[in-house]
């Protein structure tokens, strides 16, 4: 059948179970001596300090299993409690949680000796654990190899794990740590060790939502039988029905380039097995240029459709260096601030994580201190500055001053408590943000504000963050399908043939 745009007039479970001895003979069954029972054996998780400083609520995330804290873990928590960093805040919060749990013994009239028998964990942070918390209440002699000095806290914790394993042969004792080398040492000593994976959105970054879907060759055969189409405000709409519709997300881009006239559309609505597709505005054409910029590939066209759509409040753009994330964001921002007057100004911020050695203290105001980190924006502003020679050098200088007056550079350190109204907020290098930091920034948006998150999850510079636990990955996964957000993964570099080749081979 013809495609619509070809027709005339149309554009391990954490629970382990052990079973008792084999079934009794039939003669004994008649006597009903005993029924077959299942014994539920819970696991014992030993926590390293770094998992508590990563997520203080980890104490409540082990369901019916028990949690054990070595004295070395508590000592390291105490060492890291001072400071204003997220690590210090998490260490203090973990200490507060522990204080609440331990104080329940005193409130119930118990004595200190009850700690050795475990303390019931109460519901907290949306979790409802039924296990118990154990604290190390006695000195544990080390029988580790002599090459592992006991003066190091990591080795003290390993000694505790080995002691618990031998003292509890009937249950599984597991060390939970984000320290890779500590997990390697534990496994070398025949001890069970795992990474803390609750903070990971995805195990494989290749499974991350891209925001773009290529329609299969038989899509119109299976979904176009009862199709409806109409035009409105320069766009063509298609209402399709079929088995693939439940897999689509609102504001997801779909395309079909198999015909003579390719189709590029966005999922406008979706309900059950019915979806409405809306054709896109072509930003590759010069008449639709954005601040003099046109899209050079399919994904850039999708991105500009999101950036220029006032109904979309939150946009995430992923892609390697040179795919045009910053240039597209700035061009869209300048057009909507200076030409369309949709927003009052552009606010730019980014995580200040150095690649090499830090350059140290910088004098000046907040914006002057942030200037060295904003080289990427300055480079793109040079590209976006008008090339019209009719005004000469004075005209170009005046335009440059006007553009700079509408762009404010802010530091992440002073974002808490602020509210941005009618602003175009760009968060660059967002892959270096934790989920908690990302939540802090996105919730700064007031009425009329549009938030953009740009980044490349393959270039994470923050320690302890991975592609699966990055705040950028977190928001892409959590916001997919919301009617006022959109995401595009830019796949093709447009910087230069040298940059493209370097990205592939280096």
């Amino acid at each position: 059948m013809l495609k619509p745009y070809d027709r005339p007039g149309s554009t391990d479970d954490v629970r382990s179970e052990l079973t008792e001895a084999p079934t009794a003979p039939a003669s004994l069954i008649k006597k009903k001596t005993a029924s077959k029972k299942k014994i539920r054996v819970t696991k014992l998780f030993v926590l390293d300090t770094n998992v508590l400083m990563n997520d203080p609520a980890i104490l409540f995330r082990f369901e019916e299993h028990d949690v054990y804290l070595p004295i070395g873990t508590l000592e390291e928590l105490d060492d890291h409690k001072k400071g204003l960093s997220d690590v210090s805040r998490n260490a203090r919060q973990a200490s507060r949680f522990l204080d609440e749990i331990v104080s329940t013994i005193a409130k119930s009239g118990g004595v200190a000796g009850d700690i050795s028998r475990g303390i019931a964990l109460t519901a907290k942070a949306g979790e409802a654990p039924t296990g118990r918390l154990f604290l190390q209440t006695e000195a544990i002699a080390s029988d580790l190899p002599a090459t592992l000095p006991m003066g190091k806290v990591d080795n003290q914790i390993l000694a505790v794990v080995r002691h618990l394993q031998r003292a509890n042969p009937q249950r599984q004792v597991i060390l939970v740590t984000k320290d890779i080398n500590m997990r390697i040492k534990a496994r070398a000593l025949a001890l069970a060790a795992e990474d803390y994976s609750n903070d990971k959105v995805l195990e494989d970054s290749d499974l991350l939502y891209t925001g773009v879907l290529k329609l299969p060759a038989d899509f119109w055969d299976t979904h176009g039988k009862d199709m409806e189409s109409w035009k409105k405000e320069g766009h063509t709409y298609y209402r399709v029905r079929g088995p693939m519709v439940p897999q689509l997300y609102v504001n997801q881009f779909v395309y079909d380039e198999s015909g003579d006239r390719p189709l590029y559309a966005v999922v406008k609505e979706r309900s059950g097995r019915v979806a409405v597709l809306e054709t896109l505005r072509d930003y590759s054409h010069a008449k639709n240029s954005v601040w003099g910029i046109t899209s050079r590939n399919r994904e850039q066209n999708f991105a500009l459709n999101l950036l220029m759509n006032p109904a979309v409040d939150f946009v995430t753009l992923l892609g390697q260096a040179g795919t045009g994330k910053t240039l597209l964001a700035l061009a869209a921002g300048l057009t909507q601030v200076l030409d369309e007057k949709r927003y009052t100004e552009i606010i730019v911020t980014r995580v200040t994580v150095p690649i090499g050695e830090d350059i140290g203290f910088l004098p000046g105001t907040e914006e002057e201190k942030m200037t060295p980190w904003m080289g990427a924006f300055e480079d793109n502003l040079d590209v976006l500055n008008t090339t019209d020679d009719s005004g000469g050098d004075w005209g170009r200088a005046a335009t440059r001053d006007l553009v700079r007056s509408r762009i404010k550079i802010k530091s992440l350190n002073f974002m808490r408590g602020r509210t941005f109204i009618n602003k175009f907020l760009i968060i660059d290098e967002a892959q270096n943000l934790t989920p908690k930091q990302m939540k802090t920034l996105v919730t700064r948006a007031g009425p009329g504000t549009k938030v953009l998150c740009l980044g490349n999850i393959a270039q994470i510079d923050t320690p302890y963050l991975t592609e699966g636990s990055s705040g950028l990955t977190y928001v892409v996964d959590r916001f997919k399908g919301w009617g006022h957000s959109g995401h595009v993964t830019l796949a093709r570099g447009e910087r230069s043939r040298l940059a493209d080749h370097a990205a592939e081979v280096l």
Side-chain angles (χ1 to χ4, degrees):
M1 64 178 295
L2 288 174
K3 299 174 184 176
Y5 44 90
D6 288 334
R7 294 176 181 171
S10 170
T11 58
D12 18 80
D13 195 287
V14 290
R15 181 178 303 167
S16 59
E17 297 180 346
L18 297 178
T19 308
E20 280 194 348
T23 307
S27 58
L28 294 179
I29 293 177
K30 293 179 181 179
K31 296 179 182 180
K32 299 181 180 181
T33 54
S35 61
K36 178 179 174 182
K37 295 181 180 178
K38 291 184 178 179
I39 302 174
R40 181 178 299 168
V41 179
T42 58
K43 299 176 183 179
L44 180 61
F45 289 96
V46 182
L47 303 187
D48 192 10
T49 318
N50 47 51
V51 293
L52 284 167
M53 293 189 296
N54 178 265
D55 179 12
I58 188 177
L59 294 165
F60 311 99
R61 302 197 192 278
F62 291 100
E63 300 180 358
E64 76 272 23
H65 303 285
D66 296 333
V67 177
Y68 189 99
L69 290 185
I71 201 69
T73 295
L74 298 176
E75 284 292 329
E76 285 193 321
L77 268 184
D78 187 64
D79 293 339
H80 289 87
K81 68 183 181 183
K82 296 180 181 179
L84 299 176
S85 65
D86 283 343
V87 170
S88 300
R89 294 189 188 99
N90 288 344
R92 291 192 293 270
Q93 184 59 58
S95 298
R96 294 188 196 102
F97 282 151
L98 288 171
D99 181 57
E100 290 179 18
I101 296 170
V102 174
S103 61
T104 57
I105 293 181
K107 292 178 181 177
S108 60
V111 295
D114 293 338
I115 294 180
S116 61
R117 293 193 290 270
I119 311 166
L121 292 169
T122 56
K124 185 77 72 173
E127 311 289 344
T130 57
R132 304 180 74 81
L133 171 67
F134 292 88
L135 301 177
Q136 183 181 346
T137 57
E138 58 181 357
I140 295 176
S142 171
D143 58 351
L144 297 178
T147 53
L148 294 177
M150 284 308 295
K152 192 172 182 180
V153 177
D154 286 359
N155 296 333
Q156 295 174 16
I157 296 175
L158 290 174
V160 170
V161 175
R162 173 172 277 195
H163 170 79
L164 292 173
Q165 189 180 60
R166 291 177 177 175
N168 302 273
Q170 78 284 0
R171 70 192 304 192
Q172 192 173 1
V173 180
I174 302 172
L175 171 65
V176 182
T177 177
K178 297 191 75 66
D179 188 335
I180 298 175
N181 290 329
M182 192 170 179
R183 292 200 300 270
I184 294 173
K185 286 195 292 185
R187 289 163 185 160
L189 296 170
L191 304 175
E194 294 180 1
D195 188 9
Y196 176 54
S197 57
N198 192 76
D199 61 339
K200 293 182 179 178
V201 179
L202 296 170
E203 291 295 332
D204 188 352
S205 61
D206 292 338
L207 301 176
L208 184 63
Y209 173 65
T210 63
V212 180
L213 178 66
K214 180 180 180 180
L215 296 177
D218 62 344
F219 179 81
W220 300 108
D221 295 331
T222 56
H223 296 73
K225 295 179 181 178
D226 301 322
M227 184 188 65
E228 305 170 33
S229 64
W230 65 96
K231 287 188 176 183
K232 183 180 178 182
E233 298 177 354
H235 297 275
T236 304
Y237 295 83
Y238 303 103
R239 181 174 282 111
V240 296
R241 299 171 176 84
M244 187 178 171
V245 170
Q247 304 173 23
L248 302 177
Y249 294 97
V250 175
N251 285 339
Q252 182 179 19
F253 294 97
V254 295
Y255 68 94
D256 182 4
E257 298 176 330
S258 59
D260 295 333
R261 296 180 59 190
L263 172 72
Y264 303 104
V266 63
V267 180
K268 201 67 178 175
E269 301 173 13
R270 197 209 69 181
S271 178
R273 292 167 64 90
V274 181
V276 176
L277 306 182
E278 178 191 54
T279 56
L280 302 178
R281 189 173 186 179
D282 183 13
Y283 284 101
S284 64
H285 197 284
K287 69 176 182 179
N288 295 326
S289 63
V290 179
W291 203 259
I293 297 298
T294 57
S295 60
R296 292 189 176 184
N297 56 53
R298 179 179 59 230
E299 285 76 20
Q300 285 190 356
N301 188 41
F302 294 161
L304 283 174
N305 273 273
L306 286 177
L307 294 171
M308 299 299 295
N309 187 350
V312 177
D313 302 328
F314 184 71
V315 178
T316 49
L317 298 180
L318 266 66
Q320 66 181 14
T323 50
K325 304 182 297 294
T326 306
L327 185 67
L328 296 176
L330 272 179
L334 291 173
T335 298
Q336 295 174 90
V337 169
L338 295 174
D339 292 346
E340 300 178 1
K341 304 293 191 296
R342 188 175 295 160
Y343 308 102
T344 57
E345 63 182 2
I346 300 173
I347 294 179
V348 181
T349 186
R350 62 170 290 176
V351 186
T352 53
V353 180
I355 297 178
E357 291 294 328
D358 202 339
I359 60 176
F361 172 77
L362 294 174
T365 63
E366 175 188 0
E367 186 156 337
E368 289 172 343
K369 291 176 186 290
M370 290 294 295
T371 300
W373 302 99
M374 293 299 170
F377 282 92
E378 297 296 338
D379 295 341
N380 284 280
L381 279 177
D382 290 341
V383 176
L384 292 172
N385 275 334
T386 179
T387 57
D388 184 11
D389 293 330
S390 59
D393 292 338
W394 286 100
R396 285 194 296 273
T399 302
R400 189 179 301 111
D401 291 342
L402 175 63
V403 168
R404 291 295 293 125
S405 68
R406 294 300 183 94
I407 299 177
K408 297 292 187 293
I409 299 173
K410 300 295 181 183
S411 171
L412 287 174
N413 300 332
F414 309 106
M415 286 294 186
R416 191 176 295 277
R418 298 198 62 181
T419 300
F420 298 117
I421 300 175
N422 292 328
K423 301 292 192 290
F424 195 85
L425 176 60
I426 302 176
I427 305 171
D428 195 24
E429 302 294 339
Q431 76 275 5
N432 290 319
L433 290 168
T434 65
K436 185 177 180 180
Q437 291 172 327
M438 182 64 77
K439 179 181 178 180
T440 300
L441 285 177
V442 176
T443 52
R444 299 307 97 207
T449 290
K450 192 184 190 85
V451 180
L452 279 63
C453 291
L454 318 177
N456 178 13
I457 58 173
Q459 292 182 344
I460 295 178
D461 304 312
T462 304
Y464 298 114
L465 272 187
T466 63
E467 294 180 358
S469 61
S470 167
L472 185 54
T473 306
Y474 179 72
V475 292
V476 168
D477 186 71
R478 293 300 176 93
F479 273 87
K480 65 182 179 185
W482 186 47
H484 299 285
S485 71
H487 168 71
V488 174
T489 298
L490 301 169
R492 180 178 163 187
E494 297 291 348
R495 181 168 287 169
S496 68
R497 59 190 179 191
L498 172 60
D500 294 344
H501 185 67
E504 294 176 3
V505 301
L506 298 183

